[in-house]
Amino acid sequence: MEQPIATPFELPADVIALVPMRNVVLFPHVLMPVTVGRERSIATIQHALQAKTPVGIVLQKDAAVDEPGLEALCQVGTIANIVRHIASEDGTHHAVCLGVERFRIEELVEGYPFIAARIKRIQENAAITTQIEALALQLRERAIEILSLLPGVPAELAHALQATRAPSDLADITASLLDTEISEKQKLLETIDTEARLQYVLQIITRRIEVLRLSQEISERTKEQMEDRERKYLLREQLKAIQKELGEDGENDQEIAKLHDTIAAAGMPSDIEEQTRKELQRLQRMPAASSEYSMLHTYLEWMTELPWQLPEEKPIDLHAAREVLEADHFGLERIKQRIVEFLAVQKLKPQGRAPILCFVGPPGVGKTSLGQSIARALQRPFVRVSLGGVHDEAEMRGHRRTYVGAMPGNIIQGLRKAGARNCVMMLDEIDKMTASAHGDPSAALLEILDPEQNSTFRDNYLGVPFDLSRVIFIATANVIDNVPPPVRDRMEIIDLPGYTQEEKLQIAQRYLVQRQSETNGLQTDQCVLTSEALQSIVANYTREAGVRQFEREIGRVMRHAALRIAQGELQQVRIDTLNLPDILGPEKFEHELALLTDMPGVATGLAWTPVGGDILFIEATRVNGSGRLILTGQLGDVMKESAQAALTLVKARASDLQIPASVFDGIDVHLHVPAGAIPKDGPSAGVAMFIALASLFTNRPVRHDVAMTGEISLRGFVLPVGGIKEKILAAQRAGIQKVLLPARNRKDLQDVPETTRQAMQFIFLETADDAVRAALNPINRNAAATADLILV
């Protein structure tokens, strides 16, 4: 619906309302639709409709300007009459405008809701010379020619050009039809002289005709090539029929014969070999130019290159295998014993189904290198399949051959790379797989890792069963909880919790120092790194369960030595503890125990993380309030429930702890776990929270050298938790001498290295009262009385 303005404005004779256009140039004697959406342009259209006056169509210099001024507008435009007008529901207005004559803007006139300008109408020279007539005649012929080259042009347009007699009008109409830059059209509009405008339009249209002719020639040439390809295909088919009649072989004899021989030598099962030969017959009947030829040829190459035959297995020497494990790894006695047992079973029953081992532990503890050691001990090829980030089931089972670029899955690709059906295949980072819209890759592992099913594993690309029963699969993971339970059920989980400081020192002296010396081009005796320096790097520059960061720091020391030796300063560099700050910078870690004070309400807990253990401070305080429990530090639901249970237990044991009942009236208890940016959760902080609250209300500080773990119940019993070895190693790294453990976790101490057990004291807790006696200092009567007076 049209919405005209209420009162039309009376404009002087030399003033006209303007419609700035972003990418439209209107020529006189040309009918063109325009669309406006800006408020001032809509006001111009409404004014012209109400006052029945023409408008000025003018081009903007910069299309990005929403409110153009005089400097943003071209100086020459076209006066146009609005022939038809439609207002859309979205607020835009569409108008069909008929160009009348050119004008030049002299100045803008303010005071109107639209852009108004004082203009000067441009009168064209009506004189027609012989030169102008000749140019017009040539332009008309070229315009009709370009219309014949364009597809879908109505015949009425050519008749309109024939009927246009005035050279100036012919130039304007032809210019409006040209597919050229908007700047060129504006230049044509500003060219007042008829002869010059005819020459300019003729120049542009001549160039466009050459482009259209060239495009038409390219199209015809392409069509000829396609016809030639079809003709060659027909001739090739005829040649093939002639060769068949003559009993002659085709052009692919050599390739077919080679594939025939490789199929015979591959050692496939009879049914699979029969199916493969059928595919070979299809390939023989297929023209080499066919798109399916290369796909089928690639498939047959895969089938012939897979290790179908089981190689002769070498006898297993358990003594040599143990030596390999000892040479490659220090510590990990229980894991190495399990591997030797695994090899012993393989020796006694070579055809038996081997269990699937899964090494679980933080980064840098030697999971992948253990798999390589097993392969060395068995004298079998080793292949690693990385599963980190795999989110498509086809990456495990392969793509179907109907897809372009199809390939077998990672398992079959690994077997082809290993070249042996009894290889050791490591499925690395099995916990990093994710499900997506393309399927769940972990579901494909169910068949691969099941000894009852993997003898007939079927890859989608191969389309035939392949026997994986002789492959020794070894998986690795950082967090076993991320592995789906059905997959976890098919594997034997072996934990690699981490190394003690003594073990890291031994690993560095046996492996890391020598490896980094060779990496940095040093001889064995050119850089001497003392044991004290290595201990300082472990204690003050790294904090990890594995040894990767430790090795990086050793590498930095070796590079420093290499620089000094390469510059000729020294022939041998000796690095001691005093040299480390100059090389590695200030110490990165300090003992957390130094952060503790004698203030009651602070307890040290032990936590398990995916990269090993860590210590955890729990702080408690009380303020005036209404009895709320305030929890901060990004605690999960389990830890929040532990805090609630701990506070309830403290209140229930108030008389035993010699806490007056009035202490809990009119206060809020705030429990905070520092490092609030790190989410924390797990069922092992109950004892530490109980001790922190008991310390707060009894005003008895917690002993500095004590750390604790365990969960509590409302009856006061201490419940067992997991990750004992990781937590104890974390306590040792932090310099803690005494650890409080649930009594039911006593059996887990056998996993802790003997040196650590000898260096630390362990107190086993049955009830919360045991924790209070072991963790809190004796009560300070004077301080307690002072605290009671303050609360009163």
Side-chain angles (χ1 to χ4, degrees), residues 239-302:
L239 177 61
K240 185 177 179 181
I242 293 172
Q243 289 176 340
K244 185 176 181 180
E245 291 293 330
L246 295 175
E248 298 176 355
D249 293 333
E251 57 182 358
N252 302 321
D253 278 350
Q254 192 171 0
E255 288 186 2
I256 299 297
K258 183 178 179 181
L259 286 173
H260 186 277
D261 295 339
T262 53
I263 291 174
M268 303 178 188
S270 57
D271 54 338
I272 298 177
E273 183 175 351
E274 181 180 355
Q275 184 174 342
T276 306
R277 292 193 181 280
K278 288 182 179 179
E279 297 293 340
L280 180 62
Q281 292 175 3
R282 285 186 56 223
L283 182 71
Q284 193 171 4
R285 296 191 299 267
M286 197 176 295
S290 173
S291 59
E292 192 178 355
Y293 181 90
S294 59
M295 296 173 59
L296 188 54
H297 189 276
T298 303
Y299 169 76
L300 291 174
E301 285 183 342
W302 270 100

Side-chain angles (χ1 to χ4, degrees), residues 411-596:
I411 302 300
I412 298 298
Q413 292 185 40
L415 284 171
R416 182 190 185 186
K417 180 180 179 182
R421 191 159 65 86
N422 63 344
C423 65
V424 177
M425 181 175 292
M426 172 157 283
L427 305 177
D428 213 1
E429 308 292 351
I430 197 172
D431 58 330
K432 305 299 190 301
M433 294 188 299
T434 56
S436 68
H438 302 287
D440 188 356
S442 63
L445 283 178
L446 296 178
E447 180 184 0
I448 297 169
L449 298 181
D450 192 343
E452 301 294 334
Q453 302 180 35
N454 60 13
S455 59
T456 56
F457 172 70
R458 192 179 187 89
D459 188 274
N460 290 331
Y461 181 81
L462 301 182
V464 295
F466 192 93
D467 187 2
L468 301 179
S469 61
R470 302 302 300 155
V471 178
I472 296 180
F473 289 103
I474 299 174
T476 69
N478 294 131
V479 183
I480 194 62
D481 294 339
N482 296 340
V483 181
V487 178
R488 199 185 318 163
D489 181 64
R490 283 162 167 78
M491 300 183 297
E492 178 182 345
I493 309 301
I494 299 178
D495 292 316
L496 280 76
Y499 299 108
T500 63
Q501 292 190 6
E502 291 78 6
E503 289 174 338
K504 290 182 180 180
L505 180 61
Q506 292 292 332
I507 291 171
Q509 292 174 339
R510 296 188 184 201
Y511 311 108
L512 304 184
V513 172
Q514 180 179 358
R515 185 160 63 195
Q516 286 299 318
S517 296
E518 295 174 356
T519 301
N520 293 281
L522 297 174
Q523 300 294 330
T524 305
D525 57 346
Q526 285 186 311
C527 179
V528 178
L529 197 56
T530 64
S531 299
E532 292 77 11
L534 290 173
Q535 289 177 345
S536 178
I537 294 175
V538 171
N540 303 320
Y541 290 90
T542 63
R543 184 154 295 172
E544 57 179 344
V547 293
R548 284 182 181 167
Q549 185 61 33
F550 185 27
E551 185 173 3
R552 294 189 191 102
E553 299 297 337
I554 294 175
R556 291 179 59 185
V557 174
M558 293 297 175
R559 289 193 293 273
H560 171 79
L563 175 62
R564 301 192 64 181
I565 292 174
Q567 290 177 344
E569 299 177 9
L570 296 170
Q571 294 297 321
Q572 185 187 57
V573 178
R574 179 181 175 85
I575 306 297
D576 206 343
T577 306
L578 299 177
N579 307 120
L580 294 180
D582 296 333
I583 302 173
L584 303 179
E587 296 177 354
K588 298 179 181 179
F589 300 99
E590 60 181 2
H591 282 299
E592 289 85 347
L593 296 183
L595 302 176
L596 295 176

Side-chain angles (χ1 to χ4, degrees), residues 618 628-631 635-654 657 664 669 671 682-694 697 710-719 768:
I618 297 176
R628 294 181 304 157
L629 174 61
I630 304 171
L631 302 174
L635 305 184
D637 292 337
V638 177
M639 290 191 71
K640 291 179 181 177
E641 294 174 358
S642 298
Q644 293 282 356
L647 180 58
T648 301
L649 186 59
V650 170
K651 291 180 179 180
R653 299 292 181 93
L657 295 172
F664 300 102
V669 178
L671 200 65
S684 63
V687 170
M689 289 180 172
F690 171 76
I691 292 298
L693 293 172
F697 287 108
E711 192 55 84
I712 59 170
S713 69
L714 292 179
R715 295 176 296 168
F717 293 110
V718 178
L719 305 179

Side-chain angles (χ1 to χ4, degrees), residues 198-211:
L198 285 169
Q199 289 178 345
Y200 193 20
V201 174
L202 193 60
Q203 177 184 353
I204 296 175
I205 201 171
T206 302
R207 186 172 69 247
R208 293 298 301 167
I209 287 174
E210 292 298 325
V211 173

Side-chain angles (χ1 to χ4, degrees), residues 313-322 339-351 374-380 470 472:
E313 296 184 356
K314 299 180 181 179
I316 299 175
D317 187 344
L318 294 180
H319 180 71
R322 194 182 295 274
I339 293 174
V340 172
E341 294 171 356
F342 168 79
L343 298 178
V345 174
Q346 288 288 305
K347 180 177 181 178
L348 296 177
K349 193 175 181 181
Q351 303 302 322
I374 292 175
R376 284 182 55 199
L378 290 171
Q379 302 182 59
R380 297 186 185 182
R470 302 302 300 155
I472 296 180

